Amino acid sequence: MGKRVLRTKLCDMLGIEYPILSAGMGPTLMGETTGAPVELVVAVSEAGGLGVLGGSGFTVDELREAIREIKKLTSKPFGVDLLLPKHIDSKGALGATGADKLPLKEILGSLPKQYQDWIKKIRTEMDLPDDDVIVRFNTTTMRPAEAVQVCLEEKVPLFAAGLGNPGFMVAEAHARGMKVLGITGNSKNARRMAESGIDMLVAQGYEGGGHTGRVGTMALLPAAIDAAAPVPVLAAGGIGDGRGVAAALAMGCIGVWVGTRFLATNEGGALPVNKQRIVDSTDEDTRVSRAYSGKTLRASYNGFHDLWDQSGLPPLPFPTQVLLSSAMLGSFIKAQKNEYVGGLAGQISGIIHEIKPAKQVLEEMVEETVEILCSKLPAAVTCK
Ligand SMILES: Cc1cc2nc3c(=O)[nH]c(=O)nc-3n(C[C@H](O)[C@H](O)[C@H](O)COP(=O)(O)O)c2cc1C
């Protein structure tokens, strides 16, 4: 069979062959670098989609190096995703020391006492070792202004903001020939972001892996499309094969932003135990909880969720809660208590049965989408 054609306006906007983007994915715990590394970005962009680097766990210097590495490995367009939180707890537990990095066990002492006591209690009861996670204070999430500057200087073809509104940098990005993408989980925010001048919007539904809102993808997409018009919308949350892509295009989206399916590839940046958990999951095996980051976040269901629920503690604010979850997950990983480990992942885990090369995932997605739109749908639906 010859090469398939699947084009939308997004392909012209970004100079790509297929309207499929691999999502920007950051790390699960502090000390990890990313879920969407250079290798994934290059594989997806080379295969005709657009790969997006998950830049939130990199230091500012590593971010620049990774961007330059991508440019060395592919001449195709690519993207960078950063988190741009409105408020950073830089004077509290995260960053008060002035050091660039410290072992997590040294800084846990800055958490409120009841949280320290709880960590100690679980570690004692379960006979867990200390974590050996290193906390880096100079990540792009802690230094968003510097990180955005790197993206501008490097003229990254697509800049994506996973948290926060990137409207403030649109004029500078456009002057450098870049495109800017915002991400939202509700129609109110979709309107606000569209008005700030961004080029395109990702609407991510409740099904999605990572930080998530309350609205399911099926209800969110038409609402976000209406609210953002004329700014075009890409669909995210629960897309894992051509059926999801075809549905998103039918609803009026110009493309898709796919996380969990690309995480569970050879090139995806998750720990092997987390990739395996995705493969082993049914559609019911993820949970939304504030246990990981302090914000609502979907991850593969595991024993840490239950331990946290039983603690009765209110979650610490983002990103301080990440210290606590990193401490616990780090200990569980070290003790090989895999039933207490799980990474960020979406409900679409239920249809993912195999870790494959990202190129194959993309090609199969394209093939199935074309098959549905050109053959199956016309055969199954009679309309005039
Ligand atoms: C492991 C993982 C890490 C993520 N980290 C980020 C991130 O750093 N920034 C961001 O904008 N979104 C992040 N997300 C959300 C994705 O960008 C995307 O919106 C989501 O995965 C789409 O839903 P899906 O998982 O059902 O495909 C993450 C998702 C996962 C699974």
Side-chain angles (χ1 to χ4, degrees):
M1 192 171 300
K3 207 163 180 209
R4 296 300 208 164
V5 174
L6 180 67
R7 290 191 70 82
T8 68
K9 171 179 166 179
L10 182 66
C11 300
D12 301 322
M13 290 176 82
L14 295 175
I16 57 178
E17 210 176 335
Y18 304 120
I20 299 174
L21 275 53
S22 62
M25 292 178 281
T28 289
L29 71 159
M30 288 187 151
E32 277 187 341
T33 322
T34 185
V38 168
E39 295 72 24
L40 180 60
V41 175
V42 171
V44 173
S45 287
E46 279 291 300
L50 183 139
V52 178
L53 185 76
S56 64
F58 288 109
T59 66
V60 175
D61 289 342
E62 285 171 349
L63 177 69
R64 194 188 294 275
E65 279 163 32
I67 293 169
R68 291 187 176 171
E69 186 67 18
I70 294 169
K71 287 179 182 169
K72 257 194 248 157
L73 295 169
T74 182
S75 55
K76 302 274 175 70
F78 64 94
V80 170
D81 176 277
L82 299 178
L83 300 181
L84 306 175
K86 261 199 221 141
H87 304 290
I88 302 272
D89 182 16
S90 55
K91 296 221 172 69
L94 290 164
T97 64
D100 272 354
K101 57 181 177 190
L102 280 176
L104 178 52
K105 56 178 174 260
E106 274 184 38
I107 51 174
L108 285 179
S110 54
L111 294 184
K113 183 163 178 312
Q114 67 268 40
Y115 295 87
Q116 295 184 48
D117 290 347
W118 181 74
I119 294 172
K120 264 190 222 135
K121 174 175 153 293
I122 299 293
R123 282 190 174 149
T124 309
E125 282 174 8
M126 295 181 67
D127 193 21
L128 297 175
D130 267 1
D131 60 85
D132 49 14
V133 172
I134 301 291
V135 178
R136 299 155 9 131
F137 299 105
N138 51 356
T139 61
T140 60
T141 307
M142 299 301 287
R143 303 203 174 152
E146 286 171 52
V148 167
Q149 193 53 38
V150 167
C151 292
L152 289 168
E153 285 167 15
E154 293 294 328
K155 298 189 175 71
V156 164
L158 177 68
F159 178 86
L163 270 185
N165 187 343
F168 69 92
M169 46 91 67
V170 168
E172 273 189 85
H174 285 175
R176 290 167 163 83
M178 299 164 56
K179 295 275 191 281
V180 179
L181 175 158
I183 303 175
T184 186
N186 61 59
S187 59
K188 188 166 99 191
N189 219 12
R191 184 170 300 112
R192 205 180 294 146
M193 281 209 191
E195 284 169 0
S196 76
I198 58 169
D199 298 289
M200 62 193 80
L201 184 77
V202 166
Q204 188 211 289
Y206 178 68
E207 297 93 312
H211 288 123
T212 184
R214 287 187 288 264
V215 189
T217 304
M218 193 84 175
L220 175 64
L221 293 181
I225 289 170
D226 290 349
V231 172
V233 171
L234 287 82
I239 296 167
D241 63 17
R243 292 172 292 184
V245 180
L249 297 181
M251 288 188 96
C253 293
I254 59 165
V256 293
W257 169 270
V258 177
T260 304
R261 179 57 273 197
F262 279 114
L263 187 69
T265 57
N266 297 355
E267 296 88 349
L271 291 173
V273 53
N274 289 340
K275 287 189 192 177
Q276 191 55 44
R277 202 170 270 285
I278 292 173
V279 170
D280 294 342
S281 287
T282 71
D283 49 353
E284 294 189 296
D285 290 337
T286 63
R287 288 288 182 280
V288 174
S289 163
R290 292 182 191 268
Y292 279 71
S293 75
K295 290 180 183 285
T296 49
L297 176 146
R298 185 180 294 284
S300 301
Y301 176 47
N302 64 83
F304 174 56
H305 283 115
D306 293 338
L307 282 178
W308 176 253
D309 288 348
Q310 288 153 15
S311 77
L313 292 167
L316 293 158
F318 176 85
T320 309
Q321 177 78 9
V322 183
L323 287 173
L324 182 146
S325 62
S326 295
M328 297 315 295
L329 290 165
S331 287
F332 293 132
I333 289 168
K334 213 169 161 188
Q336 297 190 320
K337 289 199 182 288
N338 288 353
E339 64 279 24
Y340 289 87
V341 181
L344 284 52
Q347 292 180 328
I348 203 66
S349 299
I351 66 160
I352 298 173
H353 306 303
E354 203 189 330
I355 309 292
K356 318 182 208 190
K359 179 177 194 283
Q360 190 184 340
V361 168
L362 186 113
E363 285 173 355
E364 288 172 359
M365 226 176 236
V366 169
E367 180 75 32
E368 191 179 12
T369 309
V370 172
E371 192 63 28
I372 292 169
L373 296 179
C374 296
S375 309
K376 285 190 176 162
L377 206 49
V381 182
T382 306
C383 54
K384 302 191 206 176

